[in-house]
Amino acid sequence: MPSFLDKNSMRYSLLGLIGLTIVLLGLLAYYNWLLGLIGLILAAIPYYFIFSFSREQRKEAEEYISTLSYRVKKVGEEALMEMPIGIMLINDEYQIEWTNPFLSSFFQEDRLVGRSLYDVADILIPLIKQEVDTEIITLYDRKLRVIHKREERLLYFFDVTEQTEIEKMYRDERTVIGIIFLDNYDELTQGMDDQSRSNINNLVTSLLNNWARENGVFLKRISSERFIAVFNEHILQFLEKGKFTVLDEVRESTSKQNVPLTLSIGVGTGVSSLPELGTLAQSSLDLALGRGGDQVAIKKPNGKVKFFGGKTNPVEKRTRVRARVISHALKELVSASDKVIIMGHKNPDMDAIGASIGILKVAQMNEREGFIVFDNNQMDASVGRLMQEIKQKEALYSRLISPELALEIATDRTLLVIVDTHKPSLVIEEKLLMKIDNVVVIDHHRRGEDFIENPLLVYMEPYASSTAELVTELLEYQPKRGKIDMLEATALLAGIIVDTKSFTLRTGSRTFEAASYLRAQGADTILVQKFLKEDIHAYIKRSKLIESVYFYHEGIAIAKGNEDSIYDQIVIAQAADTLLTMNGVIASFVLSKRGENIVGISARSLGDINVQVIMEHLNGGGHLTNAATQISDLTVDEVELLLQQTIDEYLEGGKKE
């Protein structure tokens, strides 16, 4: 059937042809009327047939159009009333003006027209008020995709129950890979006889096999200290709800055998590619081990990580092999560079400054220029006193440079060493990370999600008391070109003393060995005490904070500052430390305003309560016994309530998350 445009063109062409014929016949009749008459008769015959054919065509077209219009109208009515698509018209007061039969069948009501959505389906009200175009809702055990046409006040409903069930089934059946690592297996079994080693192997293997069988996990041992686990998302969700109790089972069962063995599990999930799952699982395991072990890390492709466990203090290593290997690797990197730039975290403490001075000495021992990035506007009183001593040592003071100068002198061959932090957001000058490709990270904090990208070398040991302790061990294996002078050794010792609270917290045998080495190098303990002397006004402010203390749960002390008082982070931290020395206190939390719209929390523990996990739930972090966070845009009272809720969740969760 030709289009209407084609028909009009044919009509105009025919009229043109008729007009031309009339003109020609007129000219012919003018010269010979007989010939003109004959020509007229001959021309009339084809035109008659043409007009007859055209009339028939027009009649057929009209009949076709009439039939099509009827069919389209009929289909529209059937679609409106009978197709499995719900339609609802509402007015501005959220009253139903009309629904089609399909939608009415979903509601257990005899009559919907005239009823209010508040009475019939109040779940639709937020969707309409928020002007959401489409959303999936649950209505009488069915999943419906609702499309909202705001201008027409019209709602379409599509039943997607089966689709959502298939999607859920697909998600639940996706493969998950886990790597299980026995944290300290080699060290614990190193001195065992064959019988004892076999017994502990049988115990751990039996525990893990029972756990795998009960939860539908395929488990395979691939080395003496490593297992591979394959399961699906549904099983993973079940394990998450149970907080991975296998961690506690292995720890408690092996402790009864006087072999405190712990597990770390790295889980990869969220993708269908098996190689990518394996990479995510290994990355998760690295995170779990970097945070001290005895925990589960679950990493997804978007970078989000969940942690479970982490209840125990990280176990101190009994061998110096790793320190010697790292020291040698650092020596090679320093020697291959043109200069070394050292940078700590914002508002550096004694540990960050002491560790920076130690790495500066490493650079000098390898005959390379070294510089410490330092901001004079970011230092507390103790660091300020250390700076006064450093100013008297021109050779050392000249090595302290501003962030701006560090950016100017950095080259393609420059080595950047980050100390006492591993988070890009916490370094003094983040632009240096973007400019310098060769980066080394040395830190003693438990590893978090936010981590410096693609470092050449990472030395993170959560068992260490301080970064200064780690750097001191590295110094011992460096070339003996130039002796560590008294002030350098004192700065390192001060970092250790501050972070261990004078050797009372997080102190192992290696801590005393490092302190002994520094003392032998001339570290002055009297000078350390001079650096750490407390200001009388800070003492009074701290006492006012402590005065507000109360016990929230047994052994958990909370103190808070007034809404109109701003306290320095050092004062808040010292108040938390002081509370921990009080009788009956096993964990302390001190919160106060740090700035105009910032509330800070310092948390301390003797080890029974994992304050790191509590602070991580509030977007902070730290160690099992020492952690902190900062919260913006909330009042002190609101943060206090949030802290109490987080403590409740932690205690209700059995201290496992």
Side-chain angles (χ1 to χ4, degrees), residues 41 83 103 143 180 259 284 293 300 378 456 483 486 507 536 569 572 588:
I41 294 170
M83 282 189 67
L103 184 62
K143 294 287 185 181
I180 302 174
V259 185
S284 299
K300 298 190 175 181
Q378 297 181 0
L456 294 177
K483 186 177 181 296
M486 181 274 295
T507 304
I536 187 67
Q569 179 62 33
I572 301 173
S588 61

Side-chain angles (χ1 to χ4, degrees), residues 127-128 131-134 146-150 153-155:
L127 182 147
I128 299 170
E131 298 187 347
V132 177
D133 292 331
T134 180
V146 183
I147 297 177
H148 180 210
K149 299 289 186 181
R150 291 189 293 273
R153 296 192 296 280
L154 173 65
L155 297 169

Side-chain angles (χ1 to χ4, degrees), residues 204-450:
V204 173
T205 304
S206 175
L207 288 170
L208 288 175
N209 281 335
N210 289 337
W211 168 78
R213 185 170 55 255
E214 291 170 1
N215 294 284
V217 176
F218 171 77
L219 187 71
K220 180 70 175 177
R221 191 167 196 159
I222 55 177
S223 71
S224 60
E225 58 186 8
R226 194 176 291 253
F227 294 77
I228 189 81
V230 182
F231 44 105
N232 59 33
E233 292 276 359
H234 179 69
I235 295 172
L236 176 61
Q237 293 169 14
F238 179 77
L239 294 174
E240 287 183 26
K241 288 180 182 178
K243 311 295 184 185
F244 285 89
T245 54
V246 66
L247 298 175
D248 299 319
E249 292 173 8
V250 170
R251 185 192 324 106
E252 292 167 4
S253 298
T254 55
S255 293
K256 292 176 182 178
Q257 306 292 325
N258 296 319
V259 185
L261 196 65
T262 58
L263 298 179
S264 288
I265 305 177
V267 177
T269 180
V271 293
S272 56
S273 168
L274 294 179
E276 192 172 349
L277 275 178
T279 302
L280 284 172
Q282 185 59 55
S283 177
S284 299
L285 181 62
D286 293 341
L287 264 178
L289 294 173
R291 290 161 55 88
D294 190 26
Q295 57 194 281
V296 179
I298 304 171
K299 193 170 188 179
K300 298 190 175 181
N302 60 5
K304 293 292 183 181
V305 185
K306 287 183 180 179
F307 295 104
F308 297 87
K311 292 173 60 179
T312 59
N313 266 316
V315 180
E316 183 178 16
K317 308 300 180 187
R318 298 181 181 178
T319 173
R320 286 178 171 265
V321 173
R322 179 165 166 75
R324 186 166 62 249
V325 170
I326 292 292
S327 183
H328 180 74
L330 180 62
K331 172 184 176 297
E332 296 296 324
L333 291 173
V334 170
S335 299
S337 65
D338 61 352
K339 66 177 71 70
V340 179
I341 295 178
I342 306 114
M343 179 168 60
H345 52 75
K346 296 172 183 175
N347 301 304
D349 53 13
M350 292 296 285
D351 187 30
I353 295 297
S356 297
I357 291 174
I359 295 298
L360 175 65
K361 194 66 182 179
V362 170
Q364 293 171 349
M365 286 177 169
N366 289 281
E367 300 178 335
R368 289 294 182 270
E369 272 194 312
F371 300 93
I372 299 173
V373 179
F374 186 75
D375 189 344
N376 287 309
N377 299 319
Q378 297 181 0
M379 60 179 176
D380 58 32
S382 60
V383 173
R385 297 187 193 100
L386 173 60
M387 286 299 117
Q388 293 300 320
E389 292 290 330
I390 290 177
K391 285 180 181 178
Q392 300 176 27
K393 303 277 188 179
E394 180 58 29
L396 179 56
Y397 186 66
S398 63
R399 300 291 97 186
L400 272 60
I401 60 174
S402 66
E404 294 76 17
L405 181 56
L407 285 168
E408 288 181 18
I409 66 173
T411 68
D412 292 339
R413 292 183 56 218
T414 298
L415 181 67
L416 176 63
V417 182
I418 305 297
V419 296
D420 204 31
T421 185
H422 58 268
K423 297 183 178 182
S425 58
L426 294 184
V427 298
I428 294 175
E429 181 53 80
E430 197 168 348
K431 292 178 182 176
L432 277 170
L433 290 172
M434 293 182 280
K435 184 171 183 180
I436 301 175
D437 294 329
N438 305 319
V439 180
V440 173
V441 178
I442 303 174
D443 191 16
H444 73 116
H445 296 101
R446 292 194 180 203
R447 182 168 176 170
E449 297 178 38
D450 188 18

Side-chain angles (χ1 to χ4, degrees), residues 582-646:
M582 302 297 174
N583 188 36
V585 176
I586 61 174
S588 61
F589 298 86
V590 178
L591 59 150
S592 173
K593 289 189 74 172
R594 288 280 320 279
E596 189 61 34
N597 294 310
I598 298 176
V599 176
I601 304 177
S602 276
R604 300 292 185 269
S605 164
L606 293 176
D608 294 328
I609 291 179
N610 190 336
V611 293
Q612 176 206 0
V613 171
I614 296 174
M615 291 296 99
E616 281 182 338
H617 277 284
L618 298 174
N619 296 319
H623 287 276
L624 181 143
T625 58
N626 183 333
T629 189
Q630 293 184 17
I631 301 174
S632 303
D633 302 323
L634 290 179
T635 65
V636 174
D637 290 338
E638 290 171 338
V639 172
E640 179 186 21
L641 181 60
L642 192 61
L643 173 63
Q644 291 174 350
Q645 292 172 347
T646 307

